[in-house]
Amino acid sequence: LEHVLPVGTRRPHEASPEPFLLQFKTELERYGAQEFSLDVSLENPEGVEKITRFVHDYLIAKYGTNFSERFEEYLVEMSEGNPLFLTEALIDFDEKGHLKKSFAKKGTSHKQEWRLPTELEYLKTFPETIEDLISRRINQVDEVARDVLEYASAQGDEFIIEAIMNIKPEQLAEVSQNLKNHRFILEKGEQVLPNGNSIHVWTFQHNLIRDYIYTQLSSEQRRHIHREIGKCLERLYKPDTSEIVSELATHFYYGHIC
């Protein structure tokens, strides 16, 4: 094999790549690799039409109206068809009271209607990126919940809640439910290990949430968290850790434990 052509893509507003990928990209650039910006929206009318239809159908299904053609066009432009951005941005918009709910009288009955604020209002207050949305939501939970998210992000898209340090067992249920209510995580189920210990597996509601949280950690934070997770997993699975050899190797490698 003489020639290899690595190709990768990433949306500019999404979280930065993992440190390993950044290192790989830097190494490739030494050999002449280049990065190009592509505006596929102008080159793919069918893609724009598909996104427009998705946004329109979502608004009709959730609110019974698309509010206005201009607002729909704005959502298409901002979301680029990303379901996470679209749904979370509208929830954020709604929670701040920018979408007004009213009841209009139709004959003898009352019909629920939604009213959009002025264009200037939503242009000024609508989040611009995925990171904006995730950051706002993280700021809505307490410090303990934020610590849990940081430890969870170091485990991957799926994580074992018991492998999180510095949180009392009696707090786990409360914190987990709080994060679930804020649409960060979802429960996958309980598992009983051969040694009798019970673990609860959770997953991030979207991988972009996990990616954003992990990329906000400093190098020292990552080393510390990976070390603690590795030690925790060892305690949970001992005396037989053969099932998690690769996970332990990963955490101890990134935790600088040889």
Side-chain angles (χ1 to χ4, degrees):
L1 185 64
E2 295 183 2
H3 302 286
V4 177
L5 176 63
V7 177
T9 61
R10 181 173 66 90
R11 291 182 175 182
H13 60 264
E14 291 179 350
S16 301
E18 296 275 3
F20 173 77
L21 294 180
L22 285 175
Q23 181 181 348
F24 183 60
K25 176 175 172 288
T26 302
E27 186 69 18
L28 288 176
E29 288 173 346
R30 291 176 53 198
Y31 295 94
Q34 298 182 48
E35 185 174 357
F36 297 93
S37 297
L38 299 176
D39 186 354
V40 295
S41 62
L42 298 178
E43 302 173 10
N44 187 4
E46 291 183 1
V48 176
E49 181 182 347
K50 185 177 180 181
I51 293 172
T52 302
R53 186 165 58 250
F54 167 73
V55 170
H56 177 82
D57 291 346
Y58 180 84
L59 290 174
I60 295 299
K62 184 169 180 64
Y63 301 103
T65 176
N66 70 338
F67 297 100
S68 71
E69 295 298 325
R70 173 70 188 105
F71 186 60
E72 188 174 293
E73 291 171 2
Y74 179 72
L75 290 180
V76 170
E77 178 186 344
M78 294 298 294
S79 71
E80 297 181 349
N82 186 311
L84 175 68
F85 184 88
L86 177 66
T87 56
E88 292 300 327
L90 285 169
I91 290 172
D92 179 78
F93 207 53
D94 188 5
E95 288 177 346
K96 292 181 177 178
H98 296 306
L99 295 177
K100 308 295 184 182
K101 187 187 299 185
S102 62
F103 293 89
K105 189 171 183 180
K106 303 288 184 181
T108 58
S109 62
H110 288 77
K111 182 181 178 182
Q112 178 178 289
E113 293 183 344
W114 292 88
R115 182 173 59 83
L116 189 70
T118 66
E119 183 171 334
L120 179 61
E121 283 183 278
Y122 70 72
L123 288 175
K124 285 172 59 179
T125 58
F126 207 78
E128 293 185 0
T129 65
I130 292 285
E131 282 122 332
D132 286 341
L133 281 168
I134 298 173
S135 177
R136 291 184 191 184
R137 280 169 52 188
I138 290 173
N139 289 332
Q140 293 173 2
V141 298
D142 60 28
E143 186 176 354
V144 173
R146 289 196 292 272
D147 288 343
V148 169
L149 288 174
E150 290 176 355
Y151 272 77
S153 74
Q155 294 188 54
D157 291 339
E158 291 187 5
F159 59 93
I160 297 171
I161 197 77
E162 286 81 7
I164 293 173
M165 294 289 291
N166 302 324
I167 180 170
K168 298 176 182 177
E170 57 269 22
Q171 287 182 295
L172 285 177
E174 180 183 348
V175 174
S176 300
Q177 189 60 45
N178 183 25
L179 291 173
K180 181 180 178 180
N181 292 342
H182 280 85
R183 306 181 304 283
F184 282 110
I185 61 175
L186 296 170
E187 187 170 12
K188 292 203 70 177
E190 182 180 4
Q191 179 183 346
V192 179
L193 302 179
N195 61 10
N197 287 337
S198 293
I199 60 173
H200 295 80
V201 181
W202 290 73
T203 181
F204 280 95
Q205 191 155 316
H206 199 286
N207 66 309
L208 290 178
I209 297 174
R210 181 262 167 185
D211 290 347
Y212 173 80
I213 295 169
Y214 189 71
T215 55
Q216 299 306 300
L217 300 174
S218 67
S219 297
E220 181 55 41
Q221 284 178 306
R222 291 181 188 180
R223 285 194 293 271
H224 173 74
I225 289 173
H226 281 294
R227 281 197 299 268
E228 297 302 315
I229 291 173
K231 294 174 183 177
C232 243
L233 288 173
E234 271 192 320
R235 284 196 294 269
L236 282 170
Y237 280 80
K238 70 178 184 182
D240 183 9
T241 58
S242 58
E243 186 181 338
I244 56 166
V245 168
S246 62
E247 287 87 348
L248 290 178
T250 298
H251 290 301
F252 288 145
Y253 172 78
Y254 286 113
H256 292 190
I257 296 179
C258 300

